[in-house]
Amino acid sequence: MAKMTLEQLRTLREEKKGEMIKRDVEGKNIQIIVGMGTCGIAAGAKQTFDEIVKAIDENSLNADVIIRQTGCMGLCHVEPTVEIVMPGMPATIYGRVDAPTARELVVRHVVGKTLVENHIYDRPAVDIVKK
Amino acid sequence: MHFAICDFLLDLIQNSVEADAKTITVCVAEERGLLEASVADDGKGMDEEELERAKDPFYTDGRKHARRKVGLGIPFLLQSLELAGGSSSFESRKGEGTTLSFSFPADGLDTPPLGDLPGLILSAMCFDGDYELIVRRRNVFRAVEYEISRSEIIETVGPLTDAGALVAVREFLASQEAS
C-alpha cells in the first residue's frame, strides 16, 4: 500500500459519498454511541467500534447514522457497551458487545428494528447507583 | 488490564479529552531498542498531590461517578511498565496541562505488543468536542515518519461521526504506516 496524501483521502471520501444509498429510515437521526473508558478499552471496545463502522458502511447506512464515542457509561461489568438512540425504537444500552454482536446490533436493531436479547442493560454498576 | 500499548495510549488520550484539553499531542516512536510514547495536553492539569494519587488504582476524582472508588487507566500503565522493565516520566501543572511519557524495552518479553496504531489514531480523533489532536509517529527501522492532525483530517473528510468518513480515514491512516 502506498502512502496516501490528504488529496487522495479527499477523493476517496467523495467516492464513498457517491456510493451512498439512502435507506428508508426516518431522517438522519440514528445515534450509535460506544463506551471508550478504561473498562471499555480493556474489554475490546476498539474492535467493537471498528466493526460498527464497517457494518454501517457495508449496509449503506452512512447517510442516516451518527457514530460517537464516549467515556465510561457506568456499566464496567458488561463492557464493551453500545447505546443506540433512534426513532421508532426505545433508547437501548447494550452490553458485552463483541465484534459479532456489534454486527448483529446494526443488522437487527438498526435495520430490522428488533431488540437484540441477552445484551440489554439499562442500569449502571451497583457501586455507582444510589441504594 | 489492557492488551496493547495502543490501548494504554487511548486511555490516556480519553483522560485528556475529559480534562477539557484544547490540544493533545501524541508521539509514538520506535528507535534504539526502545518503544517510546507520550501524551501531552493543555487540559486542567493536576497538582503534585493529585498526580501522585492518580497512580493509585483506588483513587478517582469522583466527578464523573460520585460513588466510584477506582481509576485504573494510569495504574494499568504503571503496572505494565514495572513488569516489562520500562520507565515513565509524568509531569502536570494545575491549570496548565499534563504530559505523560513512557518507554518500554522494544525486545522485552513482557513488553505489550504495539497494537493497532491506525485504529488508535482513528478512535482518538472520534471523541466528542472541539479539540485538536496531533500525532507524531516515527519508526526508524521501517523508515516510517509522519505527522497527522485532527483538524486537517476533519477539514478533508468532514465530521468524524459519519461511517463513510471513518472508513476512508482508516484506510488513509493504515497507508501512513507503509514504509
Side-chain angles (χ1 to χ4, degrees):
Chain A
M1 183 172 22
K3 196 167 164 174
M4 278 168 76
T5 62
L6 282 171
E7 242 355 273
Q8 287 168 317
L9 172 60
R10 197 187 304 273
T11 311
L12 177 68
R13 171 76 180 119
E14 292 307 317
E15 283 168 10
K16 288 259 166 222
K17 270 187 187 159
E19 287 167 10
M20 243 160 21
I21 309 155
K22 185 94 167 61
R23 282 275 176 109
D24 185 21
V25 270
E26 303 97 310
K28 297 186 181 188
N29 42 9
I30 302 171
Q31 276 199 65
I32 303 181
I33 305 153
V34 182
M36 200 64 78
T38 302
C39 43
I41 296 166
K46 262 170 67 192
Q47 285 87 328
T48 301
F49 180 80
D50 270 353
E51 197 65 21
I52 289 173
V53 171
K54 274 190 227 155
I56 293 295
D57 191 54
E58 284 165 21
N59 285 279
S60 305
L61 294 162
N62 299 347
D64 313 303
V65 177
I66 288 172
I67 303 174
R68 291 170 50 210
Q69 278 180 174
T70 186
C72 167
M73 295 195 243
L75 288 153
C76 309
H77 58 304
V78 288
E79 292 290 339
T81 49
V82 174
E83 183 175 8
I84 307 182
V85 183
M86 62 182 281
M89 288 293 280
T92 311
I93 298 178
Y94 287 105
R96 296 189 289 107
V97 184
D98 56 7
T101 310
R103 188 162 283 273
E104 200 181 342
L105 293 186
V106 171
V107 174
R108 288 181 52 200
H109 186 111
V110 178
V111 179
K113 291 197 172 176
T114 311
L115 289 172
V116 178
E117 281 182 36
N118 302 321
H119 288 277
I120 301 167
Y121 294 89
D122 63 349
R123 293 176 74 83
V126 284
D127 64 330
I128 61 172
V129 177
K130 276 190 185 156
K131 279 176 189 153
Chain B
M1 177 59 120
H2 295 328
F3 170 69
I5 290 169
C6 281
D7 298 335
F8 292 111
L9 284 169
L10 184 58
D11 203 326
L12 300 182
I13 296 164
Q14 203 259 327
N15 286 347
S16 294
V17 173
E18 280 193 355
D20 298 323
K22 294 272 169 295
T23 303
I24 305 165
T25 307
V26 179
C27 302
V28 181
E30 287 157 279
E31 51 195 333
R32 300 188 308 273
L34 284 179
L35 203 154
E36 294 177 301
S38 64
V39 177
D41 73 45
D42 57 358
K44 61 188 171 198
M46 293 170 275
D47 60 31
E48 242 171 74
E49 195 193 343
E50 280 177 296
L51 180 61
E52 208 44 51
R53 280 192 294 176
K55 299 173 184 172
D56 177 355
F58 298 105
Y59 169 76
T60 178
D61 68 11
R63 262 172 281 224
K64 196 161 167 205
H65 301 301
R67 295 166 63 90
R68 181 134 285 179
K69 295 283 187 284
V70 292
L72 298 176
I74 289 175
F76 273 169
L77 173 62
L78 289 172
Q79 187 187 353
S80 188
L81 284 167
E82 192 182 341
L83 272 174
S87 62
S88 64
S89 152
F90 294 175
E91 284 168 36
S92 192
R93 274 171 190 272
K94 194 90 181 161
E96 289 181 26
T98 303
T99 300
L100 307 177
S101 312
F102 60 88
S103 69
F104 281 97
D107 55 356
L109 278 179
D110 291 309
T111 295
L114 177 60
D116 172 20
L117 195 64
L120 161 72
I121 301 172
L122 184 66
S123 268
M125 289 183 177
C126 286
F127 290 107
D128 281 347
D130 186 22
Y131 61 95
E132 175 64 301
L133 177 88
I134 297 162
V135 178
R136 296 200 180 102
R137 162 74 171 141
R138 195 147 64 112
N139 179 326
V140 291
F141 310 109
R142 293 196 294 115
V144 169
E145 186 157 13
Y146 58 87
E147 180 172 326
I148 293 168
S149 73
R150 184 181 191 242
S151 55
E152 69 183 5
I153 296 287
I154 292 176
E155 198 263 317
T156 306
V157 301
L160 294 174
T161 50
D162 182 294
L166 294 176
V167 170
V169 174
R170 197 177 215 298
E171 200 171 310
F172 170 79
L173 292 172
S175 83
Q176 302 305 306
E177 283 292 313
S179 36

